[in-house]
Amino acid sequence: MPMATYHETDALGANVLSVAVIGPEEQSRVAVAEALLGSTSGVPRQLPFYPDLDHIPKLIELNFDVVIIDLDSNPELALDLVESLCAQSLATVMVYSSLADSELMIRCMRAGAREFLALPFAPGTVAEAMVRASVRRSTVRVQKRNDGKLHVFFGSKGGSGVTTLASNFAISLARESGQKTLLIDLDLPFGDVALGLGLMAQYSTADALQNFARLDSNFLSRLVIRHDSGLAVLAAPGKLNHVQFTPEDVNRLLAVARQDFDYVVVDTGSKLDLTSTALFDPDATVYLVSQVGISELRNSNRLIQDFFATDFPKLEIVLNRYMPSSVGIDEEHITKALTRRAQWKVPDDHATIRKMQNTATPLALNDSPISRTLRQMARAACGMRAEPEKKRKIIGLF
């Protein structure tokens, strides 16, 4: 499949909709293509197979305005495809079927499909659906932003300090970049981002994940809470609730968040069940947080081998609570254990951390060795040059 976007114009130069029709069954697929003739679409591109979920990013890169999917050949696979496309692209997704199955229709709508087209098509049905898609494209394309950059904090072990680093990195990123930044607490059910920032959130990540069908920009804007620094926060639930969600729910949340914010920072704690989501997509930057101890380095090594064997997603190793004079393991052995060099070393500073915890005042709002390191991380994340280290004043005798 050539890597090019499919957009056409009619004889007057007006834009028409680019359409892909996906379905293994030729007769019904051709029927859809023929029904599109004379509508606002160009010549549809036909795919006589369901693409593997791994190949969906390539399909999205083709930037179709409308994707129409056959339900009958394999309903479950088709629904997976609908969910993935709706979560990760701006395309209007439609489905077609010869079965009048109300339960299947409901599942399609929950997955994000905009239209359920029943075979055989009544006159004008497809043309009317394309008119609605054209109106939606005009709105969506005007509002479209470049996808916000995704920064994920992931711990090699519980208690490694992921939440403290993610929260203060996010505040530094918002301040240094001057752009819209969102912090999402996905360390469920025990996430305490809000507690560390002194926030009382009415809504939570659970509300976003459990309202998959309603999740859009307007809905998300009602769920977040603002910190005084300007950072937007989607907190974990304040009560201990068991939150059930799927990778598709997480992907939808990330897709909506990245359309609304320039930077999205996610605290995942040490949750391995999130590694199958878009948090670990090729365009994400993952900060693997570890301390310098035998168990932490062993866990980090395992994670690197299993999830970061390639260059994607981008991995940056953060050594937290680092004390070079007393760790008992020199830098050469640390690098050997991790199989690569650590990009960041956050110094150990118990007094500063304790003050932050007692006052709910973020480290990033004050000057300390830890905040300076996090500020450098944030500047690197938004493409800014590192700040020169402050020279120590030397008091001499004259």
Side-chain angles (χ1 to χ4, degrees):
M1 189 180 292
M3 296 307 297
T5 56
Y6 284 83
H7 289 291
E8 304 174 20
T9 57
D10 62 16
L12 298 177
N15 288 329
V16 296
L17 296 174
S18 57
V19 181
V21 181
I22 299 175
E25 206 283 309
E26 182 178 9
Q27 184 175 352
S28 58
R29 189 180 69 249
V30 170
V32 175
E34 291 178 347
L36 288 167
L37 297 176
S39 70
T40 57
S41 75
V43 177
R45 182 176 177 84
Q46 298 186 43
L47 278 68
F49 55 87
Y50 294 118
D52 293 336
L53 296 184
D54 292 341
H55 295 153
I56 287 177
K58 294 185 180 295
L59 178 62
I60 292 172
E61 287 180 20
L62 295 175
N63 206 22
F64 288 107
D65 296 310
V66 179
V67 179
I68 309 177
I69 300 171
D70 168 23
L71 271 181
D72 295 347
S73 297
N74 189 329
E76 296 304 321
L77 189 55
L79 282 169
D80 286 342
L81 182 57
V82 170
E83 286 186 343
S84 296
L85 287 173
C86 290
Q88 301 177 51
S89 78
L90 294 175
T92 295
V93 180
M94 305 180 185
V95 295
Y96 62 92
S97 173
S98 59
L99 304 175
D101 187 330
S102 58
E103 182 179 348
L104 189 59
M105 291 177 64
I106 292 172
R107 292 181 65 192
C108 289
M109 296 303 111
R110 286 177 176 171
R114 294 275 174 168
E115 306 276 353
F116 188 102
L117 306 173
L119 288 166
F121 302 126
T125 298
V126 176
E128 292 170 2
M130 296 304 290
V131 169
R132 289 189 288 271
S134 181
V135 172
R136 180 175 181 269
R137 183 189 69 167
S138 299
T139 303
V140 170
R141 297 296 179 188
V142 169
Q143 295 177 345
K144 180 183 177 182
R145 299 162 47 87
N146 292 327
D147 280 346
K149 295 182 179 178
L150 180 61
H151 297 273
V152 181
F153 281 74
F154 185 76
S156 64
K157 189 177 180 180
S160 57
V162 171
T163 296
T164 297
L165 296 185
S167 301
N168 287 279
F169 169 87
I171 289 177
S172 294
L173 187 57
R175 288 162 61 90
E176 295 296 319
S177 69
Q179 295 183 300
K180 293 178 64 178
T181 304
L182 172 67
L183 172 62
I184 300 176
D185 193 343
L186 272 176
D187 186 14
L188 305 177
F190 294 108
D192 55 6
V193 160
L195 180 64
L197 296 179
L199 298 173
M200 294 290 290
Q202 183 177 1
Y203 302 106
S204 71
T205 312
D207 294 298
L209 296 174
Q210 293 176 342
N211 287 274
F212 181 90
R214 299 175 58 194
L215 189 55
D216 58 16
S217 297
N218 290 331
F219 188 66
L220 179 62
S221 68
R222 296 197 294 269
L223 302 182
V224 302
I225 187 171
R226 297 281 174 176
H227 186 262
D228 290 343
S229 63
L231 176 70
V233 178
L234 183 58
K239 296 182 179 180
L240 185 57
N241 296 323
H242 181 62
V243 182
Q244 292 185 327
F245 57 89
T246 67
E248 288 73 22
D249 299 335
V250 175
N251 293 345
R252 170 63 68 88
L253 171 58
L254 294 175
V256 173
R258 296 178 69 185
Q259 285 299 313
D260 290 347
F261 292 88
D262 300 289
Y263 295 99
V264 177
V265 181
V266 184
D267 173 5
T268 67
S270 303
K271 295 180 71 64
L272 285 174
D273 56 352
L274 293 173
T275 55
S276 61
T277 69
L279 291 167
F280 288 76
D281 276 1
D283 59 348
T285 299
V286 178
Y287 298 88
L288 177 59
V289 180
S290 178
Q291 296 185 46
V292 181
I294 299 299
S295 61
E296 290 90 347
L297 292 176
R298 180 195 62 179
N299 286 0
S300 296
N301 179 279
R302 291 174 174 176
L303 291 166
I304 290 169
Q305 297 304 317
D306 288 347
F307 301 112
F308 305 102
T310 66
D311 293 333
F312 301 103
K314 181 182 177 183
L315 174 67
E316 297 195 8
I317 298 173
V318 183
L319 297 180
N320 195 25
R321 300 168 190 159
Y322 183 73
M323 298 178 63
S325 61
S326 61
V327 295
I329 306 175
D330 61 31
E331 191 164 339
E332 179 182 352
H333 285 89
I334 294 173
T335 301
K336 185 176 180 180
L338 296 172
T339 69
R340 61 187 72 187
R341 183 179 62 84
Q343 282 81 3
W344 306 101
K345 297 171 184 174
V346 181
D348 191 21
D349 188 343
H350 285 292
T352 299
I353 293 293
R354 182 59 60 85
K355 181 179 179 181
M356 179 205 73
Q357 293 172 339
N358 290 341
T359 64
T361 302
L363 294 168
L365 299 181
N366 296 300
D367 184 53
S368 70
I370 298 177
S371 68
R372 289 195 289 271
T373 301
L374 291 169
R375 187 160 56 249
Q376 300 290 38
M377 289 175 62
R379 290 177 67 86
C382 58
M384 301 174 68
R385 291 184 178 179
E387 290 182 330
E389 292 186 8
K390 295 180 179 180
K391 296 182 178 180
R392 294 179 181 178
K393 294 181 179 180
I394 300 177
I395 302 176
L397 298 176
F398 295 93

